[in-house]
Amino acid sequence: MSLDTPYVDTCAADLSLALGGPERPALHVRELTLPGGIRLRLRLLGASHQVVLTVPAGGVVPAGGVDGAGGIVPTGGADAAGGADAAGGADAGAPGRPGAATAAGGLVETVACLPGRPPHLPGTLHDEAGGYRFTASVLRPAVGELHTRIAALRAELAGDPYALVGVFPGDPDAVTALAVRPDAPDGSVRWRTWHAYPQTNELVLTETAVALPRAPQPRCEEAP
């Protein structure tokens, strides 16, 4: 879909990852319901994107933050130009604080230009105990390749009911796209995003996986 608002993030170095926090004003929202009553809101922002995951009552999603107590450890950076710093740690530029997931069983993930905080997009963020994994990479395609890749991406996602694509004004390759994998294996929820910046010839790719709890298996009692 074509968007009337120019984007705020203008290169990969503007982006940060944040977990938790409020839903930010969106240009467009797609509501999805997956098997088991799991709900997702894909939100296109003027500054990039936000995904809101809601798990039914009784479900569990990552409940820690991203500091030492939460167990999420950022490792490395997406790219030197992607705003990540291997020494970043859990400082003002870190993705979030304890309580990133709400007590009601939800998770808010934002990748965007976030006013008031230094850009920080980690290459890998993994909470093994909570079942949350995020990866990001920054590509700089050869001349003309960005246009080819974005055209193919738009064609691929055009009829996908689990995807949302926004085209910002001024360039058909100025695209932010999100796509959920509804048939993710191992009881997980997974989504990918693409952020294209034709003015700097950059393509930012992210992928998120959230492991969901499995229902307890009934115990078999031996007959007396």
Side-chain angles (χ1 to χ4, degrees):
M1 78 181 54
S2 296
L3 303 172
D4 294 331
T5 304
Y7 49 0
V8 176
D9 53 314
T10 56
C11 65
D14 291 337
L15 296 176
S16 291
L17 168 67
L19 298 176
E23 294 188 21
R24 297 174 178 271
L27 303 176
H28 196 79
V29 178
R30 170 155 287 183
E31 302 266 358
L32 300 175
T33 301
L34 303 183
I38 298 164
R39 289 179 293 155
L40 284 164
R41 283 195 297 281
L42 308 183
R43 302 170 56 81
L44 282 175
L45 312 179
S48 217
H49 87 264
Q50 189 171 54
V51 176
V52 181
L53 168 66
T54 304
V55 178
V60 178
V61 295
V66 296
D67 63 358
I72 299 181
V73 181
T75 58
D79 186 277
D85 181 355
D91 57 8
R97 298 297 178 199
T102 68
L107 177 71
V108 179
E109 176 191 275
T110 306
V111 173
C113 173
L114 301 173
R117 64 188 298 168
H120 184 85
L121 186 66
T124 301
L125 189 63
H126 185 202
D127 174 12
E128 185 174 357
Y132 176 85
R133 179 181 289 275
F134 171 90
T135 61
S137 59
V138 180
L139 306 181
R140 293 177 178 83
V143 177
E145 184 182 343
L146 180 65
H147 176 75
T148 300
R149 293 186 65 144
I150 295 305
L153 176 68
R154 291 178 63 179
E156 177 187 351
L157 299 182
D160 188 342
Y162 294 95
L164 181 60
V165 179
V167 183
F168 289 88
D171 196 312
D173 297 333
V175 165
T176 295
L178 305 88
V180 175
R181 182 175 176 183
D183 59 346
D186 304 324
S188 62
V189 179
R190 297 172 184 251
W191 58 86
R192 295 182 297 161
T193 75
W194 298 260
H195 308 257
Y197 304 101
Q199 69 275 27
T200 56
N201 191 43
E202 294 176 307
L203 179 61
V204 180
L205 311 177
T206 78
E207 185 166 359
T208 299
V210 181
L212 300 175
R214 297 185 179 184
Q217 299 297 314
R219 297 179 59 184
C220 296
E221 302 289 344
E222 294 185 1

